[in-house]
Amino acid sequence: GIAQDLTMGAIILRVGLGFLPVLTFVAILFVFDNFRLLKFHIVLNALLAGAVAGLFCLLLNRWLLVETAMSAPSYARYFAPVVEETVKVAYLFLLLRRQRLGFLVDSAIVGFAIGTGFALFENVYFLFSLHDHSPLLWLIRGFGTAVMHGGTVALVGIMAKSRAERSQRERAGDILPGAVEIVEGKCFICHGIEGESSSPVFPRLAGQHAGYVARQLADYKAGMRKNDTMQSMVTDLSADDFRLLGMYFE
């Protein structure tokens, strides 16, 4: 009884020390989201995606280790990092592809959350693989894995988002005439041709971040934001049109 209680207490302590640092980092990054574009469920989904990526990598690495007949040290040094980093960023690239991340800081937060989910799974796995009950070990492990996995995916997110924005600006000269047609047909009465609204009642779009505008329009079409006028305006527009309008007003 007493020995079992001590063992359970040690496990709970190690879980807490392993989880606390990574969750603290995510909370800090979430505070930095000044535009509040990221809904909390997106961060939670990213955490879950990271944990699922950790489980997938564990199973895939075990299978590849057998199939490649490599020694465990060689596989861990040369092959496993490539597999793990590729799997970790897959969900991040999916969100970028769907224009769900409007700002660089959003990409950093979601990237760090994915890495954190991966670290959480890794900590749980090692929790039952290692038998060191030292609280210091699990505190260091919690911070170390958060910085390593979270920081790596966050950096990839920033670089990918920056590259995507640069590509959009490079294409803007060719595609903006299409945006003008949409603005003249739908937007100009309330928001003006240049995004300078005709009344304080209507949001000023001039100078807004392209990703922000595209995101809000997508939310109107999906019914996540409610406004009868706006929903009627975006009904026949596509995600490409939203990105186009975002670049036009930026």
Side-chain angles (χ1 to χ4, degrees):
I2 295 177
Q4 185 177 7
D5 290 341
L6 289 175
T7 302
M8 182 58 66
I11 291 176
I12 293 174
L13 178 61
R14 283 186 285 171
V15 170
L17 290 176
F19 281 25
L20 180 60
V22 289
L23 296 178
T24 300
F25 276 117
V26 170
I28 292 172
L29 282 173
F30 199 79
V31 170
F32 289 148
D33 183 21
N34 295 327
F35 296 97
R36 293 294 182 267
L37 286 183
L38 277 182
K39 296 178 174 60
F40 189 63
H41 73 86
I42 295 178
V43 177
L44 290 180
N45 288 343
L47 282 166
L48 178 61
V52 171
L55 174 60
F56 180 77
C57 285
L58 174 64
L59 299 176
L60 182 60
N61 282 332
R62 285 180 174 177
W63 181 77
L64 288 174
L65 184 59
V66 174
E67 292 297 316
T68 59
M70 295 176 65
S71 67
S74 295
Y75 182 88
R77 176 176 295 181
Y78 301 112
F79 213 133
V82 176
V83 171
E84 293 176 1
E85 297 309 316
T86 301
V87 173
K88 279 191 292 187
V89 301
Y91 182 68
L92 176 66
F93 285 164
L94 176 64
L95 292 179
L96 288 170
R97 175 69 177 174
R98 294 182 175 181
Q99 296 288 315
R100 304 309 295 175
L101 303 175
F103 295 86
L104 290 178
V105 67
D106 297 343
S107 298
I109 293 170
V110 169
F112 201 95
I114 293 170
T116 295
F118 192 97
L120 290 179
F121 174 82
E122 189 177 75
N123 283 349
V124 171
Y125 174 76
F126 282 112
L127 171 67
F128 293 99
S129 301
L130 303 178
H131 302 289
D132 191 327
H133 289 194
S134 170
L136 181 60
L137 170 67
W138 291 98
L139 185 61
I140 294 174
R141 165 162 282 281
F143 276 106
T145 53
V147 172
M148 179 176 65
H149 294 300
T152 300
V153 186
L155 181 60
V156 171
I158 292 172
M159 294 172 62
K161 180 61 179 174
S162 178
R163 180 68 185 90
E165 290 181 347
R166 187 161 59 249
S167 296
Q168 288 179 338
R169 288 193 293 270
E170 291 171 354
R171 296 196 308 269
D174 297 328
I175 63 179
L176 286 186
V180 173
E181 181 179 348
I182 298 174
V183 171
E184 290 178 345
K186 294 177 176 286
C187 313
F188 80 97
I189 295 178
C190 298
H191 299 286
I193 291 293
E194 301 295 332
E196 300 289 351
S197 299
S198 58
S199 166
V201 174
F202 307 117
R204 181 178 180 272
L205 300 181
Q208 288 282 12
H209 192 282
Y212 173 83
V213 173
R215 171 70 178 276
Q216 305 315 305
L217 293 173
D219 284 349
Y220 278 124
K221 184 168 184 175
M224 297 175 65
R225 294 193 64 174
K226 304 295 184 182
N227 182 288
D228 292 339
T229 300
M230 285 302 303
Q231 287 173 311
S232 66
M233 290 292 180
V234 301
T235 298
D236 59 342
L237 297 181
S238 66
D240 287 337
D241 292 329
F242 299 153
R243 290 192 287 270
L244 191 63
L245 290 170
M247 287 185 284
Y248 175 86
F249 287 116
E250 187 175 42

